[in-house]
Amino acid sequence: MHSKAGKKNERVDFLFQTRLKIIQSDDLFPFSLDSVLLSRFVYVPIRQGRLVDLCTGNGAVPFLLSQRTRGRITGVEIQPEVCDLAVRGAALNCLEDQVDFICGDAKKLPEKMGRHLCDVVTCNPPYFTKEAARDTKMNPHLAVARHEILITLTDVVRTAALLLKQGGRLAMVHRPERLAEILSVMQESGIEPKKLQMIHPRKGRQANMLLIEGTAGGRPGLTVLPPIVVYDRNGHYTEDVWPEK
């Protein structure tokens, strides 16, 4: 379902398999299945806690996490036009008492919010290096969302390490070809990789995304979960993605 929102080229969609709503713009990067799977994958404290979502976009992950925890959730987005969608989306869903958004550089958040105060940090970061940024001439908003123009994988992990309490969790969705780099940067930053899950577009196809969670100051020991297969042979979502109720 979608209907017109308040500004030109905007619409209001339902968030995947929920009654939550999200404001999207044809001119800006939309939320994707990546964010949905990340919000399901990450450990969250149920009753309380401090959660931060870096590179939050239009707020999909914070909105979805609000259904799993009563903790306070802050999303951080550097692009003002995109952050405005998230702020208005929180109001649309009556979540202002639980979810707030900061428009700014995520790398500066530890100094603004305070170090080692967070229980959970999530991130659906730019997947591709700055050198691969072929979209810059087409759409600068898309380029920033997809490529490491303003923030890198290392920046994300080091920022999370400064935000997290001892024992706090960092969870990300990313690309399999960068797994070795992800593991290395997490361990160098004091976040021990603890949980990994591969996402395959179809059965028999190579993974094209991964979910990973690490613990600040955690002990070594990585659990690899059964893979997620997104589409069945008919092009419909599998029960991994759209469980029957």
Side-chain angles (χ1 to χ4, degrees):
M1 167 273 193
H2 63 264
S3 60
K4 291 296 290 181
K7 295 184 180 180
K8 184 180 178 182
N9 296 329
E10 286 186 0
R11 66 185 186 275
V12 176
D13 294 336
F14 280 122
L15 261 173
F16 201 86
Q17 210 180 22
T18 73
R19 301 303 297 175
L20 292 166
K21 295 177 181 178
I22 190 161
I23 303 173
Q24 309 220 79
S25 169
D26 295 336
D27 302 322
L28 304 173
F29 196 69
F31 90 92
S32 63
L33 183 63
D34 312 22
S35 296
V36 176
L37 296 177
L38 175 62
S39 68
R40 293 177 180 175
F41 171 80
V42 61
Y43 159 84
V44 292
I46 296 174
R47 298 188 181 280
Q48 59 185 3
R50 196 75 178 85
L51 298 85
V52 168
D53 183 50
L54 307 178
C55 309
T56 199
N58 57 350
V61 172
F63 298 156
L64 290 165
L65 289 179
S66 73
Q67 296 201 315
R68 297 185 54 212
T69 178
R70 297 176 188 169
R72 182 77 190 181
I73 307 167
T74 296
V76 185
E77 172 55 48
I78 198 167
Q79 299 190 75
E81 301 91 339
V82 182
C83 191
D84 179 60
L85 299 180
V87 171
R88 288 187 285 129
L92 185 64
N93 289 295
C94 301
L95 288 172
E96 300 104 315
D97 291 340
Q98 184 185 10
V99 178
D100 67 290
F101 294 97
I102 295 172
C103 183
D105 187 344
K107 300 187 294 293
K108 298 179 180 179
L109 190 62
E111 304 311 318
K112 184 171 185 176
M113 181 178 284
R115 296 188 175 196
H116 308 302
L117 298 176
C118 294
D119 300 281
V120 176
V121 174
T122 54
C123 189
N124 182 354
Y127 290 159
F128 306 105
T129 63
K130 184 177 181 179
E131 290 70 29
R134 299 173 182 174
D135 297 310
T136 49
K137 294 181 181 179
M138 297 171 54
N139 184 325
H141 298 293
L142 180 65
V144 167
R146 294 191 57 173
H147 300 92
E148 295 180 329
I149 295 170
L150 299 180
I151 194 167
T152 66
L153 171 61
T154 298
D155 292 333
V156 167
V157 176
R158 289 179 177 173
T159 299
L162 291 173
L163 289 168
L164 288 170
K165 300 175 181 177
Q166 181 81 358
R169 316 288 183 97
L170 164 66
M172 295 188 296
V173 57
H174 220 294
R175 300 279 292 190
E177 58 264 31
R178 301 193 69 180
L179 177 57
E181 182 184 357
I182 292 167
L183 296 173
S184 175
V185 171
M186 287 176 73
Q187 289 184 316
E188 288 173 2
S189 302
I191 299 176
E192 187 63 32
K194 299 295 292 181
K195 186 170 67 170
L196 174 67
Q197 189 169 33
M198 292 294 182
I199 304 168
H200 300 254
R202 286 179 170 81
K203 186 176 180 180
R205 296 276 298 274
Q206 291 184 352
N208 62 353
M209 288 188 292
L210 65 82
L211 296 161
I212 189 162
E213 183 180 279
T215 300
R219 295 180 179 180
L222 177 65
T223 299
V224 180
L225 301 178
I228 291 172
V229 177
V230 176
Y231 296 108
D232 64 20
R233 66 177 68 182
N234 298 315
H236 301 137
Y237 285 129
T238 67
E239 287 195 13
D240 293 345
V241 174
W242 195 284
E244 292 184 7
K245 292 186 177 180

mmCIF file of all heavy atoms in Angstrom, residues 7-48:
data_model
loop_
_atom_site.group_PDB
_atom_site.id
_atom_site.type_symbol
_atom_site.label_atom_id
_atom_site.label_comp_id
_atom_site.label_asym_id
_atom_site.label_seq_id
_atom_site.Cartn_x
_atom_site.Cartn_y
_atom_site.Cartn_z
ATOM 1 N N LYS A 7 5.099 16.023 0.501
ATOM 2 C CA LYS A 7 5.914 16.796 -0.426
ATOM 3 C C LYS A 7 5.930 16.126 -1.800
ATOM 4 O O LYS A 7 5.558 14.965 -1.948
ATOM 5 C CB LYS A 7 7.346 16.921 0.126
ATOM 6 C CG LYS A 7 7.440 17.707 1.423
ATOM 7 C CD LYS A 7 8.883 17.882 1.852
ATOM 8 C CE LYS A 7 8.984 18.680 3.151
ATOM 9 N NZ LYS A 7 10.391 18.870 3.586
ATOM 10 N N LYS A 8 6.377 16.857 -2.776
ATOM 11 C CA LYS A 8 6.428 16.356 -4.141
ATOM 12 C C LYS A 8 7.261 15.083 -4.234
ATOM 13 O O LYS A 8 8.319 14.981 -3.612
ATOM 14 C CB LYS A 8 7.021 17.442 -5.048
ATOM 15 C CG LYS A 8 7.038 17.067 -6.524
ATOM 16 C CD LYS A 8 7.630 18.192 -7.359
ATOM 17 C CE LYS A 8 7.688 17.787 -8.834
ATOM 18 N NZ LYS A 8 8.298 18.849 -9.666
ATOM 19 N N ASN A 9 6.786 14.133 -5.013
ATOM 20 C CA ASN A 9 7.467 12.859 -5.267
ATOM 21 C C ASN A 9 7.573 11.968 -4.031
ATOM 22 O O ASN A 9 8.370 11.033 -4.011
ATOM 23 C CB ASN A 9 8.873 13.081 -5.848
ATOM 24 C CG ASN A 9 8.825 13.745 -7.210
ATOM 25 O OD1 ASN A 9 7.875 13.556 -7.967
ATOM 26 N ND2 ASN A 9 9.840 14.536 -7.523
ATOM 27 N N GLU A 10 6.786 12.270 -2.993
ATOM 28 C CA GLU A 10 6.793 11.428 -1.792
ATOM 29 C C GLU A 10 5.570 10.524 -1.765
ATOM 30 O O GLU A 10 4.541 10.806 -2.374
ATOM 31 C CB GLU A 10 6.800 12.293 -0.529
ATOM 32 C CG GLU A 10 8.125 12.957 -0.260
ATOM 33 C CD GLU A 10 8.124 13.682 1.071
ATOM 34 O OE1 GLU A 10 7.085 13.654 1.772
ATOM 35 O OE2 GLU A 10 9.150 14.288 1.414
ATOM 36 N N ARG A 11 5.718 9.416 -1.025
ATOM 37 C CA ARG A 11 4.606 8.501 -0.809
ATOM 38 C C ARG A 11 4.765 7.892 0.581
ATOM 39 O O ARG A 11 5.855 7.910 1.167
ATOM 40 C CB ARG A 11 4.579 7.406 -1.866
ATOM 41 C CG ARG A 11 5.774 6.454 -1.818
ATOM 42 C CD ARG A 11 5.765 5.454 -2.967
ATOM 43 N NE ARG A 11 6.833 4.471 -2.815
ATOM 44 C CZ ARG A 11 8.074 4.645 -3.224
ATOM 45 N NH1 ARG A 11 8.425 5.788 -3.797
ATOM 46 N NH2 ARG A 11 8.983 3.698 -3.056
ATOM 47 N N VAL A 12 3.681 7.346 1.090
ATOM 48 C CA VAL A 12 3.713 6.634 2.373
ATOM 49 C C VAL A 12 3.474 5.153 2.099
ATOM 50 O O VAL A 12 2.458 4.782 1.517
ATOM 51 C CB VAL A 12 2.644 7.171 3.344
ATOM 52 C CG1 VAL A 12 2.634 6.352 4.622
ATOM 53 C CG2 VAL A 12 2.911 8.641 3.650
ATOM 54 N N ASP A 13 4.422 4.319 2.500
ATOM 55 C CA ASP A 13 4.315 2.867 2.330
ATOM 56 C C ASP A 13 4.191 2.195 3.683
ATOM 57 O O ASP A 13 4.666 2.720 4.701
ATOM 58 C CB ASP A 13 5.557 2.309 1.627
ATOM 59 C CG ASP A 13 5.683 2.793 0.190
ATOM 60 O OD1 ASP A 13 4.653 3.156 -0.396
ATOM 61 O OD2 ASP A 13 6.815 2.795 -0.330
ATOM 62 N N PHE A 14 3.600 1.011 3.692
ATOM 63 C CA PHE A 14 3.667 0.176 4.878
ATOM 64 C C PHE A 14 5.034 -0.492 4.925
ATOM 65 O O PHE A 14 5.543 -0.964 3.903
ATOM 66 C CB PHE A 14 2.578 -0.901 4.870
ATOM 67 C CG PHE A 14 1.227 -0.398 5.292
ATOM 68 C CD1 PHE A 14 0.130 -0.517 4.457
ATOM 69 C CD2 PHE A 14 1.052 0.188 6.537
ATOM 70 C CE1 PHE A 14 -1.118 -0.058 4.844
ATOM 71 C CE2 PHE A 14 -0.190 0.653 6.930
ATOM 72 C CZ PHE A 14 -1.277 0.530 6.089
ATOM 73 N N LEU A 15 5.609 -0.546 6.124
ATOM 74 C CA LEU A 15 6.863 -1.268 6.305
ATOM 75 C C LEU A 15 6.580 -2.763 6.292
ATOM 76 O O LEU A 15 5.646 -3.241 6.932
ATOM 77 C CB LEU A 15 7.530 -0.870 7.631
ATOM 78 C CG LEU A 15 8.643 0.155 7.532
ATOM 79 C CD1 LEU A 15 9.082 0.577 8.933
ATOM 80 C CD2 LEU A 15 9.829 -0.402 6.769
ATOM 81 N N PHE A 16 7.399 -3.477 5.606
ATOM 82 C CA PHE A 16 7.342 -4.915 5.360
ATOM 83 C C PHE A 16 6.629 -5.717 6.457
ATOM 84 O O PHE A 16 7.111 -5.818 7.576
ATOM 85 C CB PHE A 16 8.786 -5.402 5.229
ATOM 86 C CG PHE A 16 8.971 -6.684 4.514
ATOM 87 C CD1 PHE A 16 9.073 -6.716 3.140
ATOM 88 C CD2 PHE A 16 9.068 -7.869 5.207
ATOM 89 C CE1 PHE A 16 9.278 -7.914 2.474
ATOM 90 C CE2 PHE A 16 9.268 -9.058 4.551
ATOM 91 C CZ PHE A 16 9.369 -9.080 3.181
ATOM 92 N N GLN A 17 5.485 -6.274 6.152
ATOM 93 C CA GLN A 17 4.735 -7.198 7.024
ATOM 94 C C GLN A 17 4.389 -6.575 8.378
ATOM 95 O O GLN A 17 4.304 -7.271 9.380
ATOM 96 C CB GLN A 17 5.535 -8.502 7.229
ATOM 97 C CG GLN A 17 4.660 -9.718 7.456
ATOM 98 C CD GLN A 17 5.471 -10.989 7.647
ATOM 99 O OE1 GLN A 17 6.636 -10.965 7.998
ATOM 100 N NE2 GLN A 17 4.834 -12.115 7.406
ATOM 101 N N THR A 18 4.201 -5.253 8.409
ATOM 102 C CA THR A 18 3.827 -4.575 9.648
ATOM 103 C C THR A 18 2.757 -3.531 9.321
ATOM 104 O O THR A 18 2.450 -3.275 8.163
ATOM 105 C CB THR A 18 5.019 -3.844 10.293
ATOM 106 O OG1 THR A 18 5.341 -2.674 9.523
ATOM 107 C CG2 THR A 18 6.250 -4.738 10.394
ATOM 108 N N ARG A 19 2.238 -2.907 10.374
ATOM 109 C CA ARG A 19 1.323 -1.773 10.199
ATOM 110 C C ARG A 19 2.060 -0.449 10.327
ATOM 111 O O ARG A 19 1.448 0.611 10.297
ATOM 112 C CB ARG A 19 0.184 -1.848 11.233
ATOM 113 C CG ARG A 19 -0.649 -3.114 11.153
ATOM 114 C CD ARG A 19 -1.269 -3.318 9.787
ATOM 115 N NE ARG A 19 -2.206 -2.269 9.426
ATOM 116 C CZ ARG A 19 -2.808 -2.184 8.242
ATOM 117 N NH1 ARG A 19 -2.534 -3.076 7.302
ATOM 118 N NH2 ARG A 19 -3.664 -1.206 7.993
ATOM 119 N N LEU A 20 3.370 -0.504 10.469
ATOM 120 C CA LEU A 20 4.165 0.716 10.506
ATOM 121 C C LEU A 20 4.194 1.364 9.133
ATOM 122 O O LEU A 20 4.139 0.675 8.106
ATOM 123 C CB LEU A 20 5.594 0.394 10.945
ATOM 124 C CG LEU A 20 5.797 -0.077 12.389
ATOM 125 C CD1 LEU A 20 7.179 -0.677 12.549
ATOM 126 C CD2 LEU A 20 5.590 1.083 13.355
ATOM 127 N N LYS A 21 4.323 2.675 9.126
ATOM 128 C CA LYS A 21 4.381 3.403 7.866
ATOM 129 C C LYS A 21 5.740 4.083 7.726
ATOM 130 O O LYS A 21 6.388 4.420 8.710
ATOM 131 C CB LYS A 21 3.254 4.447 7.813
ATOM 132 C CG LYS A 21 1.865 3.822 7.809
ATOM 133 C CD LYS A 21 0.783 4.887 7.838
ATOM 134 C CE LYS A 21 -0.609 4.247 7.861
ATOM 135 N NZ LYS A 21 -1.670 5.274 7.928
ATOM 136 N N ILE A 22 6.137 4.264 6.488
ATOM 137 C CA ILE A 22 7.414 4.919 6.221
ATOM 138 C C ILE A 22 7.240 5.873 5.044
ATOM 139 O O ILE A 22 6.549 5.559 4.068
ATOM 140 C CB ILE A 22 8.528 3.885 5.943
ATOM 141 C CG1 ILE A 22 9.900 4.561 5.908
ATOM 142 C CG2 ILE A 22 8.264 3.082 4.671
ATOM 143 C CD1 ILE A 22 11.052 3.597 6.101
ATOM 144 N N ILE A 23 7.819 7.061 5.174
ATOM 145 C CA ILE A 23 7.720 8.064 4.119
ATOM 146 C C ILE A 23 8.908 7.883 3.175
ATOM 147 O O ILE A 23 10.061 7.861 3.606
ATOM 148 C CB ILE A 23 7.712 9.484 4.695
ATOM 149 C CG1 ILE A 23 6.562 9.651 5.702
ATOM 150 C CG2 ILE A 23 7.576 10.516 3.581
ATOM 151 C CD1 ILE A 23 6.583 10.968 6.449
ATOM 152 N N GLN A 24 8.614 7.752 1.902
ATOM 153 C CA GLN A 24 9.650 7.544 0.904
ATOM 154 C C GLN A 24 9.544 8.595 -0.191
ATOM 155 O O GLN A 24 8.474 9.151 -0.432
ATOM 156 C CB GLN A 24 9.522 6.148 0.289
ATOM 157 C CG GLN A 24 9.440 5.039 1.333
ATOM 158 C CD GLN A 24 10.228 3.827 0.949
ATOM 159 O OE1 GLN A 24 11.449 3.811 1.106
ATOM 160 N NE2 GLN A 24 9.560 2.820 0.459
ATOM 161 N N SER A 25 10.669 8.838 -0.842
ATOM 162 C CA SER A 25 10.706 9.800 -1.932
ATOM 163 C C SER A 25 11.303 9.134 -3.157
ATOM 164 O O SER A 25 12.284 8.385 -3.058
ATOM 165 C CB SER A 25 11.541 11.025 -1.558
ATOM 166 O OG SER A 25 11.776 11.835 -2.685
ATOM 167 N N ASP A 26 10.727 9.420 -4.312
ATOM 168 C CA ASP A 26 11.269 8.895 -5.561
ATOM 169 C C ASP A 26 12.663 9.450 -5.846
ATOM 170 O O ASP A 26 13.411 8.873 -6.645
ATOM 171 C CB ASP A 26 10.341 9.255 -6.731
ATOM 172 C CG ASP A 26 8.981 8.578 -6.612
ATOM 173 O OD1 ASP A 26 8.896 7.530 -5.939
ATOM 174 O OD2 ASP A 26 8.007 9.106 -7.183
ATOM 175 N N ASP A 27 13.016 10.549 -5.200
ATOM 176 C CA ASP A 27 14.306 11.188 -5.451
ATOM 177 C C ASP A 27 15.403 10.707 -4.506
ATOM 178 O O ASP A 27 16.578 11.050 -4.701
ATOM 179 C CB ASP A 27 14.175 12.712 -5.314
ATOM 180 C CG ASP A 27 13.135 13.290 -6.252
ATOM 181 O OD1 ASP A 27 13.033 12.800 -7.395
ATOM 182 O OD2 ASP A 27 12.417 14.218 -5.838
ATOM 183 N N LEU A 28 15.030 9.938 -3.478
ATOM 184 C CA LEU A 28 15.981 9.521 -2.445
ATOM 185 C C LEU A 28 16.005 8.003 -2.344
ATOM 186 O O LEU A 28 15.114 7.318 -2.829
ATOM 187 C CB LEU A 28 15.601 10.148 -1.101
ATOM 188 C CG LEU A 28 15.482 11.673 -1.094
ATOM 189 C CD1 LEU A 28 14.935 12.153 0.239
ATOM 190 C CD2 LEU A 28 16.826 12.327 -1.383
ATOM 191 N N PHE A 29 17.033 7.485 -1.668
ATOM 192 C CA PHE A 29 17.238 6.036 -1.581
ATOM 193 C C PHE A 29 16.158 5.399 -0.699
ATOM 194 O O PHE A 29 15.997 5.786 0.451
ATOM 195 C CB PHE A 29 18.628 5.760 -0.991
ATOM 196 C CG PHE A 29 19.107 4.352 -1.190
ATOM 197 C CD1 PHE A 29 19.443 3.894 -2.454
ATOM 198 C CD2 PHE A 29 19.241 3.486 -0.117
ATOM 199 C CE1 PHE A 29 19.898 2.598 -2.651
ATOM 200 C CE2 PHE A 29 19.697 2.197 -0.303
ATOM 201 C CZ PHE A 29 20.024 1.749 -1.563
ATOM 202 N N PRO A 30 15.386 4.429 -1.206
ATOM 203 C CA PRO A 30 14.311 3.826 -0.415
ATOM 204 C C PRO A 30 14.840 2.768 0.553
ATOM 205 O O PRO A 30 15.969 2.289 0.417
ATOM 206 C CB PRO A 30 13.433 3.175 -1.484
ATOM 207 C CG PRO A 30 14.415 2.777 -2.548
ATOM 208 C CD PRO A 30 15.470 3.861 -2.560
ATOM 209 N N PHE A 31 14.014 2.393 1.540
ATOM 210 C CA PHE A 31 14.399 1.276 2.400
ATOM 211 C C PHE A 31 14.334 -0.004 1.574
ATOM 212 O O PHE A 31 13.685 -0.086 0.536
ATOM 213 C CB PHE A 31 13.493 1.199 3.634
ATOM 214 C CG PHE A 31 12.264 0.345 3.469
ATOM 215 C CD1 PHE A 31 12.287 -0.997 3.827
ATOM 216 C CD2 PHE A 31 11.094 0.872 2.962
ATOM 217 C CE1 PHE A 31 11.158 -1.793 3.678
ATOM 218 C CE2 PHE A 31 9.957 0.095 2.816
ATOM 219 C CZ PHE A 31 9.996 -1.243 3.173
ATOM 220 N N SER A 32 15.031 -1.042 2.036
ATOM 221 C CA SER A 32 15.103 -2.292 1.291
ATOM 222 C C SER A 32 14.983 -3.478 2.242
ATOM 223 O O SER A 32 14.949 -3.324 3.464
ATOM 224 C CB SER A 32 16.428 -2.376 0.528
ATOM 225 O OG SER A 32 17.507 -2.386 1.447
ATOM 226 N N LEU A 33 14.942 -4.661 1.661
ATOM 227 C CA LEU A 33 14.864 -5.885 2.449
ATOM 228 C C LEU A 33 16.057 -6.015 3.393
ATOM 229 O O LEU A 33 15.950 -6.614 4.470
ATOM 230 C CB LEU A 33 14.791 -7.098 1.515
ATOM 231 C CG LEU A 33 14.634 -8.462 2.170
ATOM 232 C CD1 LEU A 33 13.322 -8.570 2.942
ATOM 233 C CD2 LEU A 33 14.738 -9.576 1.124
ATOM 234 N N ASP A 34 17.192 -5.449 3.014
ATOM 235 C CA ASP A 34 18.388 -5.479 3.865
ATOM 236 C C ASP A 34 18.060 -4.990 5.276
ATOM 237 O O ASP A 34 18.438 -5.615 6.272
ATOM 238 C CB ASP A 34 19.499 -4.569 3.307
ATOM 239 C CG ASP A 34 19.757 -4.756 1.837
ATOM 240 O OD1 ASP A 34 18.869 -5.240 1.122
ATOM 241 O OD2 ASP A 34 20.858 -4.395 1.396
ATOM 242 N N SER A 35 17.359 -3.864 5.348
ATOM 243 C CA SER A 35 17.027 -3.266 6.640
ATOM 244 C C SER A 35 16.058 -4.135 7.429
ATOM 245 O O SER A 35 16.168 -4.248 8.656
ATOM 246 C CB SER A 35 16.419 -1.871 6.438
ATOM 247 O OG SER A 35 17.367 -0.998 5.864
ATOM 248 N N VAL A 36 15.116 -4.749 6.728
ATOM 249 C CA VAL A 36 14.154 -5.632 7.388
ATOM 250 C C VAL A 36 14.872 -6.820 8.022
ATOM 251 O O VAL A 36 14.651 -7.161 9.191
ATOM 252 C CB VAL A 36 13.095 -6.126 6.380
ATOM 253 C CG1 VAL A 36 12.151 -7.126 7.036
ATOM 254 C CG2 VAL A 36 12.318 -4.948 5.805
ATOM 255 N N LEU A 37 15.749 -7.446 7.263
ATOM 256 C CA LEU A 37 16.461 -8.623 7.772
ATOM 257 C C LEU A 37 17.400 -8.246 8.915
ATOM 258 O O LEU A 37 17.541 -8.990 9.888
ATOM 259 C CB LEU A 37 17.233 -9.286 6.632
ATOM 260 C CG LEU A 37 16.361 -9.861 5.508
ATOM 261 C CD1 LEU A 37 17.242 -10.438 4.398
ATOM 262 C CD2 LEU A 37 15.405 -10.914 6.030
ATOM 263 N N LEU A 38 18.039 -7.073 8.825
ATOM 264 C CA LEU A 38 18.911 -6.619 9.911
ATOM 265 C C LEU A 38 18.122 -6.420 11.194
ATOM 266 O O LEU A 38 18.563 -6.829 12.276
ATOM 267 C CB LEU A 38 19.601 -5.319 9.503
ATOM 268 C CG LEU A 38 20.461 -4.640 10.576
ATOM 269 C CD1 LEU A 38 21.615 -5.545 11.013
ATOM 270 C CD2 LEU A 38 20.992 -3.297 10.065
ATOM 271 N N SER A 39 16.945 -5.817 11.087
ATOM 272 C CA SER A 39 16.137 -5.530 12.277
ATOM 273 C C SER A 39 15.636 -6.806 12.945
ATOM 274 O O SER A 39 15.373 -6.822 14.142
ATOM 275 C CB SER A 39 14.959 -4.624 11.918
ATOM 276 O OG SER A 39 14.024 -5.295 11.103
ATOM 277 N N ARG A 40 15.508 -7.881 12.179
ATOM 278 C CA ARG A 40 15.101 -9.166 12.750
ATOM 279 C C ARG A 40 16.279 -9.924 13.349
ATOM 280 O O ARG A 40 16.129 -10.693 14.300
ATOM 281 C CB ARG A 40 14.460 -10.044 11.672
ATOM 282 C CG ARG A 40 13.132 -9.541 11.131
ATOM 283 C CD ARG A 40 12.654 -10.469 10.036
ATOM 284 N NE ARG A 40 11.383 -10.061 9.456
ATOM 285 C CZ ARG A 40 10.825 -10.674 8.430
ATOM 286 N NH1 ARG A 40 11.421 -11.723 7.862
ATOM 287 N NH2 ARG A 40 9.667 -10.244 7.955
ATOM 288 N N PHE A 41 17.447 -9.752 12.755
ATOM 289 C CA PHE A 41 18.638 -10.525 13.104
ATOM 290 C C PHE A 41 19.271 -10.096 14.417
ATOM 291 O O PHE A 41 19.725 -10.926 15.209
ATOM 292 C CB PHE A 41 19.643 -10.373 11.957
ATOM 293 C CG PHE A 41 21.018 -10.918 12.205
ATOM 294 C CD1 PHE A 41 21.278 -12.275 12.077
ATOM 295 C CD2 PHE A 41 22.071 -10.064 12.532
ATOM 296 C CE1 PHE A 41 22.557 -12.780 12.270
ATOM 297 C CE2 PHE A 41 23.350 -10.554 12.732
ATOM 298 C CZ PHE A 41 23.591 -11.917 12.609
ATOM 299 N N VAL A 42 19.319 -8.797 14.661
ATOM 300 C CA VAL A 42 20.088 -8.264 15.783
ATOM 301 C C VAL A 42 19.443 -8.614 17.129
ATOM 302 O O VAL A 42 18.225 -8.613 17.273
ATOM 303 C CB VAL A 42 20.248 -6.729 15.641
ATOM 304 C CG1 VAL A 42 18.899 -6.023 15.639
ATOM 305 C CG2 VAL A 42 21.144 -6.157 16.730
ATOM 306 N N TYR A 43 20.305 -8.905 18.097
ATOM 307 C CA TYR A 43 19.850 -9.029 19.482
ATOM 308 C C TYR A 43 19.443 -7.652 19.985
ATOM 309 O O TYR A 43 20.154 -6.667 19.750
ATOM 310 C CB TYR A 43 20.956 -9.580 20.374
ATOM 311 C CG TYR A 43 20.730 -9.272 21.837
ATOM 312 C CD1 TYR A 43 19.916 -10.085 22.611
ATOM 313 C CD2 TYR A 43 21.290 -8.131 22.422
ATOM 314 C CE1 TYR A 43 19.674 -9.780 23.938
ATOM 315 C CE2 TYR A 43 21.054 -7.825 23.753
ATOM 316 C CZ TYR A 43 20.245 -8.650 24.505
ATOM 317 O OH TYR A 43 19.998 -8.344 25.822
ATOM 318 N N VAL A 44 18.308 -7.571 20.682
ATOM 319 C CA VAL A 44 17.934 -6.317 21.333
ATOM 320 C C VAL A 44 17.417 -6.608 22.736
ATOM 321 O O VAL A 44 16.749 -7.620 22.960
ATOM 322 C CB VAL A 44 16.847 -5.537 20.553
ATOM 323 C CG1 VAL A 44 17.392 -5.014 19.240
ATOM 324 C CG2 VAL A 44 15.614 -6.383 20.313
ATOM 325 N N PRO A 45 17.729 -5.748 23.703
ATOM 326 C CA PRO A 45 17.128 -5.876 25.024
ATOM 327 C C PRO A 45 15.645 -5.526 24.937
ATOM 328 O O PRO A 45 15.279 -4.539 24.305
ATOM 329 C CB PRO A 45 17.895 -4.860 25.873
ATOM 330 C CG PRO A 45 18.394 -3.842 24.889
ATOM 331 C CD PRO A 45 18.623 -4.583 23.603
ATOM 332 N N ILE A 46 14.796 -6.308 25.560
ATOM 333 C CA ILE A 46 13.352 -6.137 25.379
ATOM 334 C C ILE A 46 12.805 -4.960 26.177
ATOM 335 O O ILE A 46 12.053 -4.133 25.656
ATOM 336 C CB ILE A 46 12.600 -7.430 25.768
ATOM 337 C CG1 ILE A 46 13.014 -8.565 24.814
ATOM 338 C CG2 ILE A 46 11.088 -7.215 25.709
ATOM 339 C CD1 ILE A 46 12.443 -9.915 25.190
ATOM 340 N N ARG A 47 13.165 -4.844 27.439
ATOM 341 C CA ARG A 47 12.490 -3.894 28.333
ATOM 342 C C ARG A 47 13.121 -2.508 28.359
ATOM 343 O O ARG A 47 12.437 -1.517 28.579
ATOM 344 C CB ARG A 47 12.440 -4.471 29.749
ATOM 345 C CG ARG A 47 11.642 -5.763 29.815
ATOM 346 C CD ARG A 47 11.427 -6.212 31.252
ATOM 347 N NE ARG A 47 10.686 -7.450 31.311
ATOM 348 C CZ ARG A 47 9.370 -7.555 31.180
ATOM 349 N NH1 ARG A 47 8.643 -6.475 30.992
ATOM 350 N NH2 ARG A 47 8.771 -8.733 31.230
ATOM 351 N N GLN A 48 14.426 -2.438 28.182
ATOM 352 C CA GLN A 48 15.093 -1.141 28.259
ATOM 353 C C GLN A 48 16.395 -1.218 27.490
ATOM 354 O O GLN A 48 16.762 -2.268 26.979
ATOM 355 C CB GLN A 48 15.350 -0.749 29.717
ATOM 356 C CG GLN A 48 16.204 -1.753 30.468
ATOM 357 C CD GLN A 48 16.342 -1.398 31.948
ATOM 358 O OE1 GLN A 48 15.755 -0.445 32.425
ATOM 359 N NE2 GLN A 48 17.117 -2.181 32.668
#
